[in-house]
Every structure is written in C-alpha cells, then in structure tokens.
Amino acid sequence: MIFTILDTLGLIAFAISGALAGMTKKLDFFGVFIIAMVTSIGGGTLRDLLIGNTPVFWLLNLQTFYIVTASTIIAIIFRTRLNSFRKSLFLFDTIGIGIFTITGIEKGLLVDLSPIVCILLGTITACFGGVTRDILCNEIPVIFRKEIYATACLLGGTIFFILKFLNINDDFIYIATAGTIILIRLLAVKFHWTLPQIGIK
Amino acid sequence: MIFTILDTLGLIAFAISGALAGMTKKLDFFGVFIIAMVTSIGGGTLRDLLIGNTPVFWLLNLQTFYIVTASTIIAIIFRTRLNSFRKSLFLFDTIGIGIFTITGIEKGLLVDLSPIVCILLGTITACFGGVTRDILCNEIPVIFRKEIYATACLLGGTIFFILKFLNINDDFIYIATAGTIILIRLLAVKFHWTLPQIGIK
Amino acid sequence: MIFTILDTLGLIAFAISGALAGMTKKLDFFGVFIIAMVTSIGGGTLRDLLIGNTPVFWLLNLQTFYIVTASTIIAIIFRTRLNSFRKSLFLFDTIGIGIFTITGIEKGLLVDLSPIVCILLGTITACFGGVTRDILCNEIPVIFRKEIYATACLLGGTIFFILKFLNINDDFIYIATAGTIILIRLLAVKFHWTLPQIGIK
C-alpha cells in the first residue's frame, strides 16, 4: 500500500521533472508530454525489455498513462510557480529514484537474476528515464556529470540485499533501501558531494 | 491489397526522407543507408519490442530490407532532383505516417491491448523512426518542435476506434483513419498550424 | 575455446575504448563506467532484444560485468599511458568487431533467420555499442563518417556464408570471417580507405 503510493509519487515527480525540461527547451504541448512520458516510464520500459517482460508494464494498464498526462497538464498550468519550486521537486525526484530502484530489483528477483544483476537492473530502472530525457533534449546526460546519482542507487541496492540476506522483514527492507538512497542524494546535494571527474588532457 | 501497396509506399517514403537527412549531414554511403533504414523501420521495431513481438518484423522477412536498400540507392542517384522535390516527398511521408499508425493499432489489437494504448502504439510506430533519425543526426527531434505531427496520429487513432465501435467495415476504417491523418497533416502544413510552444522564461 | 578467449578480448577492447571516450568528455567514474559498459554490451543487447532472446545475455551471467568493470578500472589507472597507445587499442577494437560479427551471426542462425538477416544482425552486434557510445557523448556516430567499419562486417559476414555454403569446417569459417574483417579494417586505416561522402549542396 505504502509502496503503491510512493510509486505513484515517483511517477508524478519524474513526469513533472520531464515536463519542466521540455518547457525549458520551448517544445510544443506534445513534445512536453512525450518528454514527461519518457522520463517517467523510460527506466521501467528498458527494464521490462531487458528481462523480456512484455508487453511492457504501461501497455497493460492505463493508470501510468493517466498519471503522466495529469502531471504534465498540472506542470504546464503551474509552470511559472513550479520552476521556482525546483528544489522541492528535487525531493520528489529523489523519492522516485529510491522507489524505482526497489521495483527494478524486485522485477529482477521475479525472474531469478543474481543480486548484482538485480542491483544493476534497479539502477537502470531508476536512472534511464532521466538519461533518455537528456538525449532527447540533445544534452550529455546530467547523470554522467553531476552529483551522486546512480551511485546512490547502487549503494541502496547493496543495502537491500544485505538486509535480505539477514532475513529482515520486506517492508523494512523497502524503507531502508529507499531511505538510504534518498538520504545519500540529499546529503550529496547539500554538501556538493560529487564523484571526481576523470579527464584525459 | 491496398493496405500492402500503401504500406510499401510508406516504407519507401520514409527511406527516402531518411536518406535525404543523411546526405544533408554528408555521411558516407553506409551512413546514409543506416539512417534510411532506421527512419523506415525504427517505429515498427520499437512497437514490436514493446509488445514482445520478436524476432521483430524485418528479421523475419527480407522484403523490408530490399525496399529500403532500393529506395536508398534511388535517393542517392537522384539526390539533386529529389532535394528540390522535397515538397512532393512530404506527401509520401504523410502517407507513411497514416498507414503506420494503422499497422501499429492493429498489432496492439492482436495482443488485446486497450484502445488508448493501441492509439499510443500506433503513434509510436508512425513517429519513432523520424525521432531516431534526428537523434542519430544529433538534432532535437523535429517532431517536438514543428507542425502538427503526432497530434494527427492521435486524432486519426481516435477516429479508428470511434468507427470500430460503430461496427463500420474494416476497409472503410483504414481509409478514414489514414485519410484523417493525411488531411490534418496537409492542412497543418498549408496553413502553418502548430501547437503552441510552451516555454519557461 | 579460442572463440571464448577472443570474445573476452573483444569485450575488454570495447570497454577500454568506451572508457577512453568517457574520460575525454571528463565524466565522473560512474559515467566512464557506464560508457564502457554500453560500448561493450550495447551491440549484443540490441541483438538479443531484436530476436527476443531475453533476459539479455549479460543479465544471466556476471562474467561480462566483471570483465567490463576490471577493464574500466585498468583504463582509468593507466589512462595517460593508454591514451598514447590508442593505435594499439585500435587493434583490440578491430578484433572485437571481427568476433562480435560472428557471435551475432551465430545467434541469428540459432533462431533460423536467413543469411542476409544474420549478416545484418552480426553487423549490428559489432557496431551498435560504438554508436550508442557516440550518442551518449552527444556526437554524430563516428561510424557514419569515418573509414570502412560496418562495411568490413558486411563483407566478413558474406565470407561466412560463402564458406558455410561450401561446407567448410566451423573453426576455419570463424578464423576466415574474423580475419577478413580485421584485415579490411587494418588496410582501410593504413591506406585511408573511406566510403565516399554523399552530400547535398
């Protein structure tokens, strides 16, 4: 139940972040909607394709479509206000990443993949939507250049399997995993933690 | 029968439009061929992947490969002439979009997806090839910025299901759907209809 | 046995070439790792998705993950030295292309695809990783602009099926196919063979 609520919140946050990115590029309504859609469902779609879970999740159930559509419309109506609230959006975005890492891991476990592969799958689920958004907007994906992002997912996924190994209750595992990812992201942004750039002169 | 002819025409038109895009970027023969291939089969490939219809259509049947190869060679030979004929090409491109929307919807119905999802799938089939072409050429997909494009597919798909619901004959549904999409596109270009850009200052 | 060794060498070479590309763009560790991963597994992933061979190969076996991780770390540690050795890397890269063309063809044969389609699939397996690397780094894929690259794969694949048709021993076919591709690439680079650019003024 809590899981479903958070999942929906994550979807909404990703949709709004995609819509904002599209509006920054001055796209038309359809373009803004597509970027919002891709940002929120891109990760789960790649996950489903990679494990052969087809038709992919959003084809089987219209709920995702409705949530993204409603979020995009709201983002467009309140675009001026939202833009100055980007910092609070970042919180939703972070919640989304935390949740989507867990859904990716769970889907991997359903088809008997090994823990390391499940963690990769969770990270892909959480991050690929944002990567696609940036490619469509013709930019080098921000995930490759700024702040702790995928690293938080990898660490959260590791916590997930340590707790699983210790036979902890599932609900607690979910909260601890998402909590770890969210906390790392919040701290990373607050204290400007970044991974070092590795350049070749 | 009419369906197969139009489908082939659509494939040819998309291949030529892709080849022109590749030549504008001064790619070599192989590059031009790949862009032509991606433009014409990209949409159907993503559609097949999303619904789990694998191996994807062009792997099972060489006809697509031959059509695209021949179209690319013709586009290269007549490149100077074709370039000044871009306006007539636009008509083929529009026919292609109309037809590919229908094939996408039909494939969705075959796996029992709901009408709204089928319309999305039809739109993806019609539009994704052009999006990939633009990404490979390192540009923001034109579909996000110019003219009524995907919107025409969405409206055509809606007509499709309204007529289906009214139990109209299939052949007529095909003609009405493709006709709607083509008409909207033609009018949109003639009268410079666009969706409003939504920018954040 | 030789096949496995060469396959691993190819994976290593692609991973290093991806890591070098990422470091040139001054990405952080994670970004460099992702580019290395995508470059080495991108082609095989698309191949597996297109033929419906899911979960894709690197989800079922951690070996790929370990090889890419180790290669990336080595590439980062020796980045200054490697960069001046780019010419020797090119040899590995070429070996990788030769091998990956064969694995692509073999996977196609396993699902009974026709020879031409298998050659396309082999070429995709060999080339798509590099294309994705370039898209993620926000450049027009180099494969579309420079040297004989995919053309070498297409020719090698043709040799493969000519020898297969003549009932030659499999080991010899592998060596001849990879040898052809590698030789063409080496000669192309040495003598600056390129396909002609086809531009529209």
Side-chain angles (χ1 to χ4, degrees), chain C residues 148-169:
Chain C
I148 306 297
Y149 197 95
T151 313
C153 302
L154 295 173
L155 290 173
T158 308
I159 300 284
F160 182 99
F161 280 102
I162 289 173
L163 298 179
K164 197 93 177 173
F165 184 74
L166 298 173
N167 256 317
I168 308 285
N169 169 280

Side-chain angles (χ1 to χ4, degrees), chain B residues 3-4 24-25 46 66 97 118 120-121 130 147 159 177 198:
Chain B
F3 195 78
T4 312
T24 304
K25 287 276 170 180
L46 181 58
Y66 293 140
I97 291 167
C118 286
L120 287 178
L121 208 53
E147 292 155 12
I159 300 285
T177 303
I198 306 172

Side-chain angles (χ1 to χ4, degrees), chain A residues 32 50 56 108:
Chain A
V32 170
L50 291 175
V56 300

Side-chain angles (χ1 to χ4, degrees), chain A residues 49-98:
Chain A
L49 291 179
L50 291 175
I51 62 180
N53 189 20
T54 52
V56 300
F57 72 102
W58 52 274
L59 287 178
L60 296 175
N61 185 325
L62 276 173
Q63 201 185 324
T64 307
F65 175 73
Y66 293 140
I67 293 174
V68 174
T69 305
S71 305
T72 304
I73 292 170
I74 289 171
I76 289 174
I77 294 174
F78 295 103
R79 62 185 177 279
T80 314
R81 195 164 305 180
L82 274 174
N83 201 33
S84 55
F85 279 172
R86 270 199 198 196
K87 274 185 189 158
S88 59
L89 275 178
F90 150 80
L91 186 62
F92 284 96
D93 185 67
T94 301
I95 292 171
I97 290 167

